[in-house]
Amino acid sequence: MLRRAVHRIRFGHDHGWVPAHASDYLDGDLGPREIVRVQRHVAECAECRELVRGLQTLLYGLGTLRGEPSERVAGTVLASVRSRLRGLPPTER
Amino acid sequence: MTDVSGHPPASDQTLVRRARDGDMAAFEELVMRHADRLFASLRRFGLDDAEAQEVAQETFLRAWRGLVGFEERSSFFTWLYRIGFNEAQRRLARRPAAGGVVSSELHPVEGIEDSRPGPSASAETEELRAALAKALRELPAELRAPVVLRDVEGLSTRQSAAILELGEAAFKSRLHRGRMALRGLLAPWLATS
Ligand SMILES: [Zn+2]
């Protein structure tokens, strides 16, 4: 009986705590005890499990955007910078 | 890596010091080294091609003028991005649609018009990517910037926070809010069950 009540209270606390720390968890910014706290809770809470998995997928997807080809502009940027700096002193002191 | 002469390439720090002494070639080397990546980041932050190119140019001009005051407490790269993202944020804030949007007004991403399957990624990943790019544009700039720097560009928390001139705790809090908002926008894509 008491055990059950304690479990319910802990579950309630963790259910608030885990979503607030899901990013820290995924970024590796939690200590060992906090990691256990997240893992213990998501094992028994479908909602938080879904949240952590969703964020994980999100982070994976965002990382893939980095690999998308982008225009090469360095030459153009350089030409423009060069033309605008020509005639200026090295640095405006 | 070595250059054509067989010497290892000079570090940013070396080039910065030379540029500060008036060595234009050293500064040009820094432009060539960082312009493409800065441009790509500015695009992902929400500027269009022309704006991103303009901001990149402006960033290097300001960097040149500011070299004397650059104290090397941060890396040249971080400093450059700080100048670039500041300018980008100013421009985005001037846009009529941006700035006033709060999370509750965001609309979930549904149809994606511009999903083109690529040769390497699966169609599913490609669709998720297109949805992500669209959802990112819906985020308010102050939440988008942390997500772009940390999660898309893959910079460290420390670097990203320094670029945005935020403390690490404040940065992390915005990053988390940004991710949660994206998750809300992409709910149909992220559901696992
Ligand atoms: Zn829960």
Side-chain angles (χ1 to χ4, degrees), chain A residues 15 41 45 48:
Chain A
H15 191 62
H41 182 71
C45 176
C48 290

Side-chain angles (χ1 to χ4, degrees), chain A residues 19 23 50 66 73-74 82 90, chain B residues 28 36 61 64 152 176 179 192:
Chain A
S23 278
E50 189 82 351
R66 194 185 322 159
V73 298
R82 204 180 253 164
Chain B
E28 292 184 351
D36 283 334
L61 288 170
W64 173 257
V152 182
H176 185 58
R179 288 172 177 174
T192 49

Side-chain angles (χ1 to χ4, degrees), chain B residues 12 20 31 35 42 57 71 76 84 93-94 98 103-105 107 124 128 136 138 152 158 166 172 178 186 189 192:
Chain B
D12 278 5
R20 194 185 285 154
V31 175
L42 292 168
Q57 284 161 11
E71 289 173 0
F76 176 72
R94 280 205 301 262
S103 306
S104 61
E105 292 172 42
H107 306 294
E124 207 177 320
L128 173 64
L136 262 178
E138 298 241 336
V152 182
R158 196 178 179 165
L166 293 169
K172 281 187 183 182
L186 294 162
W189 298 88
T192 49

Side-chain angles (χ1 to χ4, degrees), chain B residues 40-63:
Chain B
S41 301
L42 292 168
R43 287 283 294 114
R44 290 193 269 262
F45 184 47
L47 300 185
D48 64 30
D49 275 338
E51 284 175 315
Q53 202 161 316
E54 264 176 49
V55 171
Q57 284 161 11
E58 195 56 42
T59 301
F60 284 108
L61 288 170
R62 284 192 197 175

